[in-house]
Amino acid sequence: MLVIALALLSIAYGSTVIPLGDVLNAFTHAAGLSDLKTTIPIERIVVDLRLPRVILAICVGAGLGIVGAMLQTVTRNDLADPFLFGLSSGAAAGAVSVISIFGDRFGIWTLPIAAFSGGMLAAIIVLLLVRRVQGQGPERMILAGLAVSFLFAALTNYMVFSGDQRAAHSVLFWTLGGLGLARWENLPLALLGLAAILIHALYNHRNLDAFLAGENTAESLGVRVNRTRNTVFIVCAFSTAIFVSVAGVIGFVGLMIPHIARRFAGQLHAGLILTCALLGAMLILLSDLAARLLLAPQELPIGIVTSSVGAFFVVTLLLRKRSG
C-alpha cells in the first residue's frame, strides 16, 4: 500500500501539481473505464510522462535493492553493491562514450545498448581477473571489482574531457542518475532487468541461505560455492547494466536497502528478497519526488539525493558498529 501511495504522490506532484482526483480520472479515462475527461495536457502528463516514470522508479529501485542483497551474501561483505564491482562504472563508461564521442547511431536505443555493453564488459573483465589468480574467494572478486571500477571511471573522465565539451552537462546529469528517459518504449527493458534478478534470487534462495553459515558449510550442504557466486555475479551484472542503461548511475541503493530490509525480514532470503524489492522501490520513488521538488521547476539528478542519504546511512552504520 505504501508503494501505491508513493506512486500516486509521485504522479500528482512535480513541476506541475495535479489534483489526485484528476490523476484518477486520467487513469480511468485512458483505460476506457470512465467517460469523465480531463484536459488533454493533464492526461498526457499523467499517462505518457509520469506513469512510465513511476513504473521505471519501481523497477530500478526494487532491482537494485535485490542486487545489493545478493552481492552482500555471496561476498560476505556488508558494503558490497554494484559500484564496488565496477558494474555501474562500466555501464556509465559505455553511455558516456555515446554522449561525448560516438554519437547517436541506433536511435533511442543507442544509449541503452552502449550502457548495457559497458556493464557486461566490466563483469567479464572482473571474472577473467578472478580466474587468473589462485583461488576464487570473495576477497579476490572485490579487489578485481575495485580495480575495474577505477579503470572505467578513469576512462569515463578521459572521454568527458577529450570529447565534445557541449555534452558535458548531459554526461554529468546522466552519471548522477535520473528517470527522465522513462518512456513506454523502454519500460519492457527495465521490467526484464527486474524479472531476471527477482526470479533468480527467489529460485536460489536456499543456496543463498547456505552462504550465511559459511562457505565450508555451504559446500557440505551440496552448494557449489564458486559456481553459485559467479552465476549470481553475472545475473547481477546483467540486471545492473539494464538499470543503468535506462536510469543512469544511482548510487547507494544496493548498499543501504539490504541492511534496512534485514531488520524487518531477518536473514533468510525468501522474505529478504521481497522486502528489499519493496523498500528499494519506495526509496527511489521518494528520492525522485524530492529531486523534482527541491529546485522545482528544475530537476536534480536523483543520485544526489540517494548519495546524500547513503552517506548519512554509512556514517550511522559505522557509529552503531563501533558502539556495539
Side-chain angles (χ1 to χ4, degrees):
M1 291 300 293
L2 283 175
V3 173
I4 295 174
L6 286 173
L8 288 174
L9 285 175
S10 187
I11 293 172
Y13 287 89
S15 57
T16 301
V17 179
I18 301 174
L20 283 176
D22 288 345
V23 171
L24 296 176
N25 287 339
F27 283 154
T28 54
H29 182 260
L33 301 176
S34 170
D35 293 330
L36 291 174
K37 290 185 178 181
T38 55
T39 61
I40 292 176
I42 288 180
E43 186 165 331
R44 184 175 182 276
I45 290 172
V46 170
V47 177
D48 294 335
L49 297 178
R50 292 190 182 173
L51 181 57
R53 189 181 184 113
V54 162
I55 296 173
L56 180 62
I58 291 171
C59 290
V60 171
L64 288 177
I66 298 171
V67 166
M70 295 180 72
L71 289 176
Q72 288 176 16
T73 294
V74 298
T75 62
R76 300 181 62 80
N77 187 313
D78 289 343
L79 299 179
D81 79 337
F83 272 106
L84 191 64
F85 296 95
L87 306 180
S88 296
S89 298
V96 169
S97 69
V98 168
I99 296 172
S100 61
I101 297 177
F102 297 114
D104 192 354
R105 301 287 179 87
F106 303 102
I108 63 171
W109 293 104
T110 305
L111 196 62
I113 289 172
F116 178 78
S117 300
M120 293 307 296
L121 177 61
I124 291 170
I125 294 174
V126 170
L127 291 177
L128 288 176
L129 286 174
V130 171
R131 288 176 66 90
R132 293 289 294 177
V133 297
Q134 287 190 344
Q136 297 183 32
E139 300 85 2
R140 291 174 175 82
M141 182 172 282
I142 291 170
L143 289 174
L146 282 172
V148 171
S149 180
F150 286 127
L151 173 64
F152 276 101
L155 181 61
T156 299
N157 292 331
Y158 172 78
M159 288 188 290
V160 170
F161 280 95
S162 64
D164 186 353
Q165 293 301 305
R166 292 173 298 180
H169 180 268
S170 177
V171 168
L172 178 63
F173 188 90
W174 194 88
T175 53
L176 290 174
L179 302 175
L181 291 177
R183 299 291 184 273
W184 287 109
E185 292 80 6
N186 58 24
L187 283 183
L189 193 61
L191 289 168
L192 173 63
L194 176 58
I197 196 69
L198 179 61
I199 292 171
H200 182 77
L202 292 177
Y203 183 77
N204 292 281
H205 71 92
R206 295 189 185 278
N207 289 341
L208 294 170
D209 288 343
F211 272 82
L212 299 175
E215 293 187 5
N216 292 333
T217 303
E219 289 276 7
S220 68
L221 293 173
V223 177
R224 300 176 66 176
V225 169
N226 286 331
R227 180 176 179 178
T228 300
R229 183 187 295 118
N230 290 340
T231 303
V232 166
F233 184 73
I234 291 171
V235 177
C236 288
F238 175 82
S239 293
T240 299
I242 287 178
F243 298 141
V244 174
S245 74
V246 293
V249 180
I250 302 176
F252 283 99
V253 179
L255 189 153
M256 287 188 291
I257 291 300
H259 290 275
I260 300 171
R262 289 186 189 102
R263 293 184 169 273
F264 295 97
Q267 297 288 335
L268 297 182
H269 287 81
L272 177 65
I273 294 302
L274 296 177
T275 306
C276 283
L278 289 173
L279 293 178
M282 291 168 59
L283 175 61
I284 294 295
L285 285 170
L286 277 171
S287 299
D288 182 52
L289 192 59
R292 284 185 285 143
L293 293 178
L294 285 175
L295 292 179
Q298 196 174 11
E299 180 182 333
L300 275 175
I302 192 173
I304 292 178
V305 180
T306 58
S307 295
S308 301
V309 176
F312 175 77
F313 175 83
V314 171
V315 170
T316 303
L317 186 67
L318 291 173
L319 292 176
R320 183 174 295 155
K321 285 193 172 183
R322 182 179 178 182
S323 62

